[in-house]
Amino acid sequence: MKILVCGGAGYIGSHTCVALGQLGHEVVVFDNLSNSTRVAIDRMAELVGRPVAFIQGDIRERRDLARAFAGGVDCVIHFAALKSVGESCSRPLTYFDNNISGTITLLQAMEAAQVSRMVFSSSATVYGNSEQVPVTESAPLQATNPYGRTKLIMEELIRDYSASQPGFSGVLLRYFNPVGAHPSGRIGESPTGTPANLMPYVTQVAIKRREQLQVFGGDYPTRDGTGVRDYVHVVDLAEAHASAVRWAMTQQGCIALNLGTGCGYSVLELIRTFERTTGARVPYRIVERRPGDVAELWADVSMAREVLGWQARHGLERMCEDAWRWQLNNPDGYQVA
Ligand code: NAD
Ligand code: WQD
């Protein structure tokens, strides 16, 4: 199959392209490199053992997309979005334009090219401040920040479009907390500036690039007072995308699926597991809660298992080991060869 992977040079996209390439699919990466680099594409090719086609372009640009669809495409995976919650609060229009306008233009390009299968990167952020765990796909949806609103609207755009097109298939994949890296240590998450997410912050503290981790909140109603999340290995996510593409190729309609492990771990549990599995130390200090955070959120993952036959294989230890190998081999992410 020929799969157009929009945003394929990024963190989750690069792992997915490797998984698809290793299954023998033809992958075309389409990315404007606004949050990624060509180095990732070279390393993907190295892991797959053959060149990976790349088109530098923007999903908001019809002409760029026309080039991408020119050679025929069976399915689109849509990772291309801006994803920083904090930045979305200070620059909402940038997020609306990139994520929402980009998705509309991409759907238009798909229609023009008669491509009717899409796998979309959604997020557990669409559940907002859900207090009910584990969260099922039928839980109420809510946006608590502009980034989350774009994900919610993008889901709705795809759902409405799908309903208007009898032959269309859309798979909305709601990722919980993607972490870890490819076991080779060649591709991984390469945040620019201060990491906003827990795992990259932990690995940067462990390698002594940052002094101390701030644990946001020690007084949540959880087993040790710190926030609980559903961390999921990025390689498991990559495999879920391959399963979702298979679903889209054979089924019609639009479905939303949670992707997580179904287990919640607290911040302190993650730190301890990281220290135990890697032998590295993670000095930390408990500080005020971070505004907007919920106490605990983990997924009910039964639907993905039933519909895709997928379930996460890697536990928290492997997530920590692989994240650490990536950090050790690439202390500055992709910035250093
Ligand atoms: P990422 O930033 O590493 O990857 C996104 C890629 O899309 C980047 O390579 C970027 O250059 C590209 N891109 C952005 N806007 C584009 C545009 N207009 N045209 C073309 N390319 C564009 O992010 P990621 O962590 O790999 O996330 C992938 C997707 O998954 C995103 O849609 C994100 O919202 C979603 N998601 C991520 C997480 C997470 O914690 N990483 C959790 C839930 C959902
Ligand atoms: C995890 C836990 C923090 C950093 C975010 C987005 C969500 C989705 C996934 C895209 C929480 C705590 C964190 C730190 C800490 N992304 N923490 N110190 O907030 O669950 O989800 O990423 O769609 O939309 O909101 O992930 O990794 O930021 O936090 O104590 O320096 O770690 O309070 O309990 P979060 P996270």
Side-chain angles (χ1 to χ4, degrees):
M1 262 183 292
K2 186 165 169 188
I3 303 163
L4 180 67
V5 186
C6 299
Y11 172 45
I12 307 170
S14 57
H15 290 81
T16 300
C17 289
V18 168
L20 293 170
Q22 286 174 340
L23 287 169
H25 297 302
E26 186 183 344
V27 166
V28 178
V29 174
F30 181 91
D31 202 300
N32 65 1
L33 302 183
S34 60
N35 196 37
S36 50
T37 126
R38 277 174 196 270
V39 181
I41 299 161
D42 295 340
R43 297 206 183 164
M44 284 149 60
E46 175 194 307
L47 292 172
V48 174
R50 59 178 192 277
V52 171
F54 173 55
I55 296 174
Q56 183 164 359
D58 194 298
I59 56 164
R60 291 164 296 176
E61 293 295 336
R62 280 162 204 269
R63 262 181 305 184
D64 293 350
L65 287 170
R67 270 196 298 143
F69 283 102
V73 167
D74 295 306
C75 182
V76 171
I77 308 185
H78 178 16
F79 292 103
L82 298 175
K83 62 164 182 177
S84 160
V85 171
E87 187 186 46
S88 79
C89 296
S90 52
R91 300 172 61 201
L93 295 178
T94 304
Y95 275 65
F96 299 157
D97 180 42
N98 194 82
N99 296 2
I100 299 172
S101 305
T103 298
I104 296 169
T105 309
L106 177 57
L107 286 168
Q108 287 169 332
M110 287 175 66
E111 184 169 284
Q114 295 182 313
V115 177
S116 57
R117 296 167 177 113
M118 176 186 264
V119 174
F120 170 67
S121 297
S122 188
S123 166
T125 192
V126 298
Y127 297 118
N129 292 326
S130 169
E131 289 296 340
Q132 202 190 344
V133 281
V135 193
T136 65
E137 287 83 353
S138 55
L141 304 182
Q142 180 197 13
T144 54
N145 55 67
Y147 164 72
R149 193 169 316 284
T150 68
K151 285 286 149 181
L152 212 48
I153 292 172
M154 290 153 92
E155 276 203 3
E156 283 166 357
L157 293 174
I158 297 166
R159 214 177 278 116
D160 284 351
Y161 180 67
S162 171
S164 77
Q165 304 288 312
F168 193 88
S169 13
V171 187
L172 315 175
L173 297 177
R174 295 177 180 158
Y175 317 147
F176 277 64
N177 290 65
V179 296
H182 193 270
S184 63
R186 297 295 287 161
I187 55 172
E189 186 171 13
S190 183
T192 43
T194 308
N197 295 114
L198 180 62
M199 185 65 97
Y201 209 108
V202 164
T203 59
Q204 291 193 8
V205 170
I207 205 168
K208 300 190 167 60
R209 197 167 140 185
R210 299 184 192 275
E211 204 179 321
Q212 193 178 51
L213 173 74
Q214 300 199 329
V215 175
F216 299 136
D219 59 351
Y220 283 109
T222 59
R223 47 190 174 264
D224 60 21
T226 65
V228 170
R229 295 291 184 277
D230 188 338
Y231 299 95
V232 55
H233 199 298
V234 67
V235 168
D236 282 326
L237 282 189
E239 287 168 8
H241 287 77
S243 305
V245 167
R246 261 196 306 277
W247 187 92
M249 294 305 294
T250 52
Q251 312 286 322
Q252 289 172 6
C254 191
I255 48 164
L257 299 171
N258 288 342
L259 295 183
T261 62
C263 301
Y265 289 98
S266 75
V267 178
L268 294 183
E269 285 167 344
L270 186 145
I271 295 171
R272 285 195 199 104
T273 306
F274 185 90
E275 291 189 326
R276 195 178 63 246
T277 53
T278 67
R281 283 204 56 241
V282 183
Y284 69 88
R285 183 166 59 98
I286 295 179
V287 299
E288 289 296 292
R289 293 181 180 190
R290 182 172 64 178
D293 275 354
V294 290
E296 46 187 13
L297 193 66
W298 69 88
D300 181 316
V301 291
S302 48
M303 188 115 120
R305 197 166 50 230
E306 279 158 32
V307 173
L308 300 182
W310 171 89
Q311 71 185 69
R313 294 185 293 119
H314 299 98
L316 191 61
E317 285 84 3
R318 270 297 298 274
M319 301 181 212
C320 292
E321 278 169 30
D322 290 339
W324 182 229
R325 185 180 305 104
W326 159 254
Q327 179 71 74
L328 277 178
N329 292 355
N330 309 269
D332 297 314
Y334 288 117
Q335 276 144 32
V336 164

